[in-house]
Amino acid sequence: MIISTSNQRIKDARKLQSRRHRQATGKLFLEGVRLIGDAVQSGCWPELLFFVPELMAANPQGAQLVAQVQAAGSECLACTEPVFATLAETVTPQGIAAIVQLPHLSPPAQPTFTLILDGIRDPGNAGTLLRSAEAAGIELVLFGPETVDAFNDKVVRAGMGAHFRLPLRTCADWSAVRQWLSTAQQLYVAEADAATAYDQVDWRRPAALVVGGEATGPSRVARAAAQPLAIPMLGKVESLNAAIAGAIILFEAARQRRHG
């Protein structure tokens, strides 16, 4: 039982809240039954698991997960609730956390359906876009310039396990973005005042969609490189939340591809 917040395992786990430390170690900190369960189901087994015995006794699903991870040979460390509180990043901790390898899934050699996050700084929007992208059949997500870290804890929680099932890549600039796109892909960008509606496009062909940040919209580079698309709206609403706008377009593309 770990009873001290000065325990080296606890201190090392806390460091993973830093992007720099995640990149240096290639490890990711996960918290909660659902998220750790998603990782396990995707074949991403914890290297180390922390749990609070009292909280697991009141959470059968959590207790079952601890037993499953222990049976797989991973190290599982019990700790007191005050110690776990120093690890937790959620408001109401469930008493279970894990350290796993950063997921690095391989995309198709010639992707036909790609999502590009361009200047998406809000972690909730980025995670929600990831979740929608997986549901819509996206094959690769690129975290473009000025976008929040793909493995920020809030992005991971909002992604609801998509990080373990969907190939992701971080691109520091647009030249890196282009390297991940196939020559056959048509590039589109969501723009509020575009002349072409999102449902007028033939999404059955290889395509990549750029979704820009809410505050400034798509970058100048994205606007110059991509065909603009708009979501026609009634009423006096000027724009939609970036995650909602992206999901609407992605699911129109998915609908066409499903029936194509």
Side-chain angles (χ1 to χ4, degrees), residues 29 119 147 158 172 188 190-191 199:
F29 179 83
T147 295
Y188 298 102
E191 288 255 42
D199 54 0

Side-chain angles (χ1 to χ4, degrees), residues 9-27:
R9 299 294 190 91
I10 297 295
K11 291 165 69 175
D12 289 343
R14 279 200 297 265
K15 290 178 183 178
L16 292 174
Q17 296 172 3
S18 158
R19 177 178 185 172
R20 183 175 64 179
H21 200 68
R22 287 193 294 270
Q23 292 175 336
T25 60
K27 300 183 190 301

Side-chain angles (χ1 to χ4, degrees), residues 2 21 47 91 134 141 154-155 189 199 209 226 235-236 241 258:
I2 299 176
H21 200 68
E47 296 181 356
V91 177
E134 183 192 3
V141 177
K154 293 180 181 177
V155 177
V189 61
D199 54 0
L209 173 67
K236 297 182 179 180
N241 168 279
R258 191 169 62 251

Side-chain angles (χ1 to χ4, degrees), residues 188 194-203 227-232 249 252:
Y188 298 102
T196 302
Y198 74 103
D199 54 0
Q200 294 176 334
V201 169
D202 185 354
W203 291 101
Q227 178 182 335
L229 300 175
I231 300 173
I249 299 173
E252 167 60 20

